[in-house]
Amino acid sequence: MPSFLKSRRLLLAGYLLLAWIAAIQQWSLKRPGDPYTHYNNYIIFRQSFVHLAGHQDLYTQYLAEHWDYFRYSPSFALAFGAFAWMPDLVGLVLWNTLNVAVLFLGWMALPLRDDRVRLAAAWFAAVEVMTALQNAQSNVLIAGLLLLAFSFLERRQLALAPLMIVAAAFIKLFGLVAFSLFLLYPEKKKFILFSALWGIVVGLLPLVVVSPAELVRLYEGWWGLLSMDYAGPAGLSVMAWLQSWFHLNPPRAIVTLVGMALFCWPLMQVERYRDFNFRLLFLCNVLIWVVIFNYKAESSSYVIAICGVALWYVSRTRNWMDLALVSIAFIFTCLSPTDVFPSSLSAAFFVPYSIKAVPCILIWGKVIHELKWP
């Protein structure tokens, strides 16, 4: 890595620059004749607070305001009240800033001996960070929360680690997968207790603006929308890869169960829980799994998986196969949504064959192999 990149301050400045450029770019773009903005996700998040405070259904369409549904918890809608009162540009800049700040803290908190490892992983993920920021999505924030959860577990800060995971899960439900990390550490009862406490507190926060009966209906609506999504088309996931490459269409429940079995398989090696490298590799397993087995995964989701890929590559002894895999991931996962490739190639090849997902699927397979057979 070039010496000028070996600076925490430069990394923070780079991440903030990406956040601000993405916000200004998306705010300034206009589609002729299109009633919607280029930062539709931010509008969805902002309006979710307006709807919550107005005692409206969060999980129906509001096509006069934005396209697509709000797919997050009532608690996330309440939290977005911090931005909802601001002008769009200011709120969008601060929302992106929050995302990259949490991810930066997540990288810097990792208990690694060599700072160059943290910085190399963080820089590798930068292109994917920009992709997520240009969609005004929450995935950069979730990646940071999961990295922080691991670091807090390593430091035995058992009140803070579950808060990070609970916060991630109340943004996107797949964050629940990160609870598997606690199996690698002692004091499991204490972790479970704090998890239940934070789950109750965060889950009930919307009661400051809605009644208990309304909150129950909102959670029912959230679950109903997620169930409807589960039955919809497969996103950039293992399922889409099986369909497009092999013309296989197994039941999604079977694919998920097989994925869960492989995900949990390394946990049978209880004697290795004391090995930091095993725990770090299992974190990579979590970060990649939650994306490739998410049937609604989209391009901006892959910042989470790429954080796992980057951490897997830079934190261990590498061979030629690892270099080949990480190079393929950078080219076909990180760069495929960018202007490096012509749009015609994307439409004819990358999108129909779920190319963005494939390198992460292959690397996840190698992660599982290394967890089981070091």
Side-chain angles (χ1 to χ4, degrees):
M1 184 171 65
S3 58
F4 70 90
L5 294 180
K6 299 175 183 177
S7 163
R8 291 189 176 199
R9 289 183 179 179
L10 183 60
L11 174 66
L12 178 58
Y15 270 22
L16 289 173
L17 188 61
L18 292 179
W20 300 340
I21 289 174
I24 295 170
Q25 177 195 49
Q26 297 306 302
W27 177 81
S28 61
L29 289 174
K30 304 291 183 184
R31 298 185 182 98
D34 191 338
Y36 303 119
T37 69
H38 269 263
Y39 49 98
N40 187 69
N41 286 313
Y42 177 81
I43 299 298
I44 291 174
F45 300 157
R46 186 197 68 192
Q47 291 303 111
S48 70
F49 174 77
V50 175
H51 299 151
L52 181 72
H55 304 275
Q56 297 172 273
D57 186 1
L58 294 177
Y59 304 106
T60 190
Q61 283 191 312
Y62 293 92
L63 294 177
E65 301 170 359
H66 52 73
W67 58 271
D68 211 351
Y69 289 92
F70 176 73
R71 292 182 168 85
Y72 306 81
S73 73
S75 299
F76 181 71
L78 178 68
F80 223 82
F83 303 94
W85 61 274
M86 301 176 185
D88 282 356
L89 178 58
V90 176
L92 189 56
V93 167
L94 292 179
W95 167 241
N96 279 359
T97 299
L98 173 65
N99 273 257
V100 297
V102 172
L103 181 58
F104 173 80
L105 291 173
W107 286 125
M108 295 304 104
L110 287 172
L112 302 172
R113 294 179 181 177
D114 192 341
D115 210 35
R116 292 175 298 179
V117 173
R118 300 183 188 88
L119 294 169
W123 281 117
F124 182 88
V127 173
E128 203 62 52
V129 168
M130 186 60 166
T131 297
L133 292 172
Q134 287 176 323
N135 287 273
Q137 263 288 5
S138 59
N139 295 301
V140 176
L141 174 61
I142 292 173
L145 289 171
L146 298 186
L147 292 176
L148 285 171
F150 175 80
S151 298
F152 287 140
L153 281 168
E154 286 293 315
R155 294 176 172 87
R156 304 298 189 268
Q157 294 178 296
L158 298 183
L160 292 175
L163 175 59
M164 300 299 104
I165 300 174
V166 166
F170 273 94
I171 300 172
K172 291 193 174 182
L173 204 58
F174 61 65
L176 291 171
V177 175
F179 276 114
S180 60
L181 290 169
F182 93 94
L183 297 171
L184 307 177
Y185 300 89
E187 299 186 86
K188 294 178 176 58
K189 290 182 180 178
K190 190 175 180 181
F191 181 91
I192 293 171
L193 179 62
F194 276 114
S195 298
L197 177 63
W198 285 124
I200 292 170
V201 170
V202 175
L204 296 181
L205 278 177
L207 288 176
V208 301
V209 293
V210 299
S211 69
E214 285 179 294
L215 186 58
V216 169
R217 286 196 296 271
L218 287 173
Y219 277 112
E220 289 174 347
W222 186 32
W223 182 255
L225 180 61
L226 294 179
S227 300
M228 182 180 70
D229 278 351
Y230 182 79
L236 286 168
S237 63
V238 169
M239 190 70 191
W241 174 61
L242 292 174
Q243 292 171 346
S244 60
W245 283 53
F246 307 104
H247 305 290
L248 298 175
N249 193 26
R252 293 186 179 183
I254 298 298
V255 175
T256 302
L257 286 173
V258 171
M260 289 176 62
L262 291 171
F263 174 87
C264 294
W265 192 20
L267 293 173
M268 297 173 63
Q269 304 169 95
V270 179
E271 70 282 358
R272 294 189 63 200
Y273 289 6
R274 295 183 180 181
D275 180 359
F276 172 75
N277 291 325
F278 177 84
R279 299 194 299 272
L280 187 65
L281 195 56
F282 196 82
L283 170 64
C284 300
N285 178 23
V286 170
L287 292 169
I288 301 172
W289 195 95
V290 296
V291 177
I292 64 173
F293 283 93
N294 174 12
Y295 298 123
K296 297 305 292 182
E298 51 195 1
S299 181
S300 61
S301 307
Y302 272 77
V303 64
I304 303 171
I306 283 296
C307 287
V309 168
L311 195 55
W312 161 78
Y313 182 73
V314 302
S315 63
R316 48 195 284 286
T317 303
R318 301 173 289 275
N319 57 36
W320 68 268
M321 183 180 295
D322 300 332
L323 177 59
L325 285 171
V326 82
S327 300
I328 291 169
F330 186 76
I331 294 169
F332 293 108
T333 299
C334 297
L335 297 182
S336 61
T338 70
D339 292 336
V340 169
F341 298 101
S343 57
S344 57
L345 181 62
S346 177
F349 181 62
F350 289 158
V351 173
Y353 290 98
S354 303
I355 297 300
K356 187 177 177 81
V358 175
C360 292
I361 295 171
L362 297 177
I363 290 172
W364 176 72
K366 196 164 191 304
V367 168
I368 294 299
H369 181 273
E370 291 172 4
L371 281 166
K372 191 61 182 174
W373 295 287

